């Protein structure tokens, strides 16, 4: 298939492009590089031994997108990763988040209708469940996201669901990711956050590398066995494989298809930290800090639907996630720079 990947230079997008190429698909990337580097795409090409067609363009730029779609009349499907994703920043810059994430989804849906493209896979998030019973299962009623970022995921899901009603031949796949971590085992591609990382794993890894002084653990008084929050960490390569599987199984199967992509296993902040230290044989200083606003004590996926219907399940464990993160960190101490 010929797949147009928005946000393909980003963290999850780059790993997915590699999997797509390896599975024999052709890849066109559209990315404005606002949170990524062209070098990620170069490295994917080297790893796969295949080339990618790359456009530095903004998905909210309708004219630029129309020109790309007009140029490539053979596109079979879209994977839509492009978006802003920092929860805290979205509270400070709501207009930017709503504009970028919602208009991007609207422009892409318009392109699909205009150019007769029937397949789209959208990067959604466990955040759409809000505070809910665990494990989170696809059939649950969705919650109320507590920040503009989460709202953009909920709204984008709704836009695509409504588009699928109006275009009954469309296949809309909503993939709800849990907590993606890790890097490709080659150490060539990985997560390269700009500035101080917001997320736990890159923060741990930068403390281990001596770039940050110590980890702040946001709360150890949650109702969990060790008092720290529990999440479902999933290796980014498992996640990437999930996208390829979803595309291959669901392309041209009309309707809306929703899947959790997680491991089904919960790991606490303290457990992740000690696993990272054990696997990589190093010490990561930490301190207990106050709770972070908006954090939920514990959530993890019921990932059985993806296994049942897509034949996909996450196979890499916490040790692999910690090992691969550290390999990427040590081989690229300042990301792609
Ligand atoms: P990322 O920031 O590494 O990748 C996003 C990419 O989109 C970047 O390359 C960025 O330059 C590009 N982009 C952003 N806005 C754009 C625009 N208007 N036009 C063109 N390109 C644009 O983030 P990621 O972690 O790879 O996340 C990919 C997707 O998965 C995002 O939609 C994110 O919300 C979603 N997601 C991520 C997580 C996570 O924890 N990483 C969890 C759930 C969902
Ligand atoms: N944490 C710390 N210290 C840090 C960073 C995080 O203790 O420096 C804790 C958080 O309090 C939380 C856990 O580590 O308990 C995980 O935090 P992350 O920021 O890594 O991940 P979140 O679960 O908060 O959110 C992530 C993405 C969201 C997405 C969600 C589910 O950032 O966008 O996973 O996919 F919605």
């Amino acid at each position: 298939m010929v797949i147009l990947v928005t946000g393909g230079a980003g963290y999850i997008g780059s790993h997915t492009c590699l999997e797509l190429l390896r599975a024999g698909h052709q890849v066109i990337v559209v990315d404005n590089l606002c949170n990524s580097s062209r070098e990620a795409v170069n490295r994917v090409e080297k790893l796969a031994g295949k080339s990618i067609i790359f456009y530095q363009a903004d998905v909210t730029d309708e004219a630029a997108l129309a020109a790309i779609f007009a140029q490539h009349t053979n596109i079979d499907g879209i994977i839509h990763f492009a978006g802003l994703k920092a929860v805290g920043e979205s509270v400070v810059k709501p207009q930017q988040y709503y504009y970028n994430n919602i208009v991007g989804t609207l422009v892409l849906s318009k392109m699909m209708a205009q150019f007769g493209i029937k397949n789209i896979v959208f990067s959604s998030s466990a955040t759409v469940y809000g505070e809910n019973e665990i494990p989170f299962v696809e059939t649950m009623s969705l919650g109320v996201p507590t920040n503009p970022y989460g709202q953009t995921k909920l709204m984008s899901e709704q836009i695509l669901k409504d588009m699928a009603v109006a275009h009954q031949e469309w296949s809309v796949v909503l993939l709800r990711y849990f907590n993606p971590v890790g890097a490709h085992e080659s150490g060539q591609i990985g997560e390269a956050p700009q500035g101080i990382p917001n997320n736990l794993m890159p923060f741990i890894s930068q403390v281990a590398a001596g770039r940050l002084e110590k980890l702040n653990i946001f709360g150890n008084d949650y109702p969990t066995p060790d008092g720290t929050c529990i999440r479902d960490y999933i290796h980014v390569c498992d996640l990437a494989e999930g996208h390829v599987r979803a595309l291959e199984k669901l392309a041209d199967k009309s309707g809306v298809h929703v899947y959790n992509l997680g491991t089904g296993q919960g790991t606490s902040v303290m457990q992740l930290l000690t696993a990272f230290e054990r696997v990589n044989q190093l010490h990561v200083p930490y301190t207990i800090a106050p709770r972070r606003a908006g954090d939920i004590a514990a959530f993890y996926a019921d990932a059985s639907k993806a296994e049942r219907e897509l034949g996909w399940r996450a196979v890499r464990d916490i040790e692999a996630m910690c090992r691969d993160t550290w390999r990427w960190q040590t081989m690229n101490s300042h990301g792609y720079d």
Side-chain angles (χ1 to χ4, degrees):
M1 287 191 274
V2 178
I3 308 300
L4 183 135
V5 182
T6 74
Y11 172 45
I12 306 170
S14 56
H15 289 79
T16 303
C17 287
L18 179 58
E19 271 320 303
L20 285 167
L21 292 174
R22 290 212 160 136
H25 303 292
Q26 286 178 53
V27 176
I28 301 166
V29 167
V30 177
D31 198 306
N32 65 2
L33 302 180
C34 69
N35 193 38
S36 54
S37 163
R38 176 76 170 81
E39 175 61 11
V41 178
N42 298 340
R43 293 195 188 177
V44 169
E45 290 181 313
K46 276 198 199 112
L47 285 168
K50 292 181 182 167
S51 56
I52 286 175
I53 299 172
F54 178 80
Y55 291 98
Q56 182 168 353
D58 196 304
V59 291
T60 64
D61 181 343
E62 201 178 314
L65 270 271
I68 294 168
F69 280 94
Q71 173 95 15
H72 300 277
T73 50
N74 57 348
I75 294 170
D76 296 299
I78 296 171
I79 306 184
H80 180 30
F81 291 107
L84 299 174
K85 63 162 184 176
V87 172
E89 188 184 55
S90 78
V91 177
V92 184
K93 300 175 179 171
Q95 192 276 342
Q96 202 176 319
Y97 271 69
Y98 282 114
Y99 187 85
N100 193 72
N101 294 3
I102 301 298
V103 175
T105 302
L106 286 171
V107 168
L108 278 173
S109 343
K110 185 170 178 183
M111 293 300 119
M112 288 176 71
Q114 196 169 322
F115 291 92
I117 293 160
K118 291 186 287 193
N119 299 299
I120 184 163
V121 175
F122 174 65
S123 291
S124 191
S125 164
T127 194
V128 299
Y129 291 109
E131 202 152 4
N132 227 317
E133 274 170 55
I134 44 175
F136 291 172
V137 60
E138 292 88 344
T139 47
M140 277 176 163
S141 32
L142 298 180
V144 182
T146 53
N147 55 76
Y149 165 75
Q151 289 288 357
T152 69
K153 291 296 166 193
L154 200 60
M155 290 178 187
S156 289
E157 282 203 2
Q158 191 59 49
I159 290 167
L160 291 170
K161 285 175 187 168
D162 291 342
M163 291 299 291
V165 173
H167 299 269
Q168 299 228 337
E169 69 286 9
W170 282 19
S171 163
V172 169
V173 183
L174 307 175
L175 298 181
R176 296 180 180 153
Y177 313 155
F178 281 66
N179 287 57
V181 295
H184 189 258
E185 62 179 13
S186 64
Q188 291 297 310
I189 53 172
E191 187 171 13
Q194 293 177 352
I196 296 175
N198 299 304
N199 298 115
L200 180 61
M201 187 66 118
F203 204 108
I204 290 178
S205 136
Q206 291 199 11
V207 173
R211 289 186 62 189
L212 295 168
E213 189 195 334
K214 59 178 178 345
L215 170 71
N216 292 303
I217 294 185
F218 298 137
N220 67 347
D221 57 353
Y222 284 97
T224 61
D226 65 20
T228 65
C229 290
I230 289 175
R231 295 288 181 272
D232 183 342
Y233 297 96
I234 173 169
H235 197 294
V236 65
C237 293
D238 281 327
L239 198 58
E241 287 165 16
H243 286 73
V244 178
R245 192 65 63 88
L247 252 183
E248 290 175 346
K249 282 263 181 187
L250 298 170
D252 301 327
K253 290 206 171 57
S254 60
V256 178
H257 314 277
V258 185
Y259 294 96
N260 286 342
L261 295 186
T263 64
Q265 302 288 323
T267 303
S268 74
V269 173
M270 196 54 92
Q271 285 172 324
L272 189 70
L273 173 65
T274 51
F276 192 93
E277 291 184 317
R278 187 180 66 250
V279 168
N280 298 313
Q281 302 192 333
L282 40 76
H283 175 61
V284 178
Y286 72 88
T287 188
I288 303 297
R291 290 182 177 194
R292 185 172 70 176
D295 274 342
I296 295 173
F299 64 83
Y300 49 88
D302 176 333
S304 60
K305 186 181 177 202
E307 179 160 13
R308 217 167 40 243
E309 296 186 7
L310 303 178
W312 170 91
R313 72 184 171 87
V315 292
R316 295 164 179 86
D317 60 14
I318 288 285
E319 277 70 27
M321 299 179 209
C322 292
R323 199 169 41 242
D324 293 341
T325 299
W326 186 234
R327 185 184 302 107
W328 156 254
Q329 174 72 48
T330 49
M331 288 172 66
N332 307 270
S333 58
H334 290 81
Y336 292 104
D337 295 336

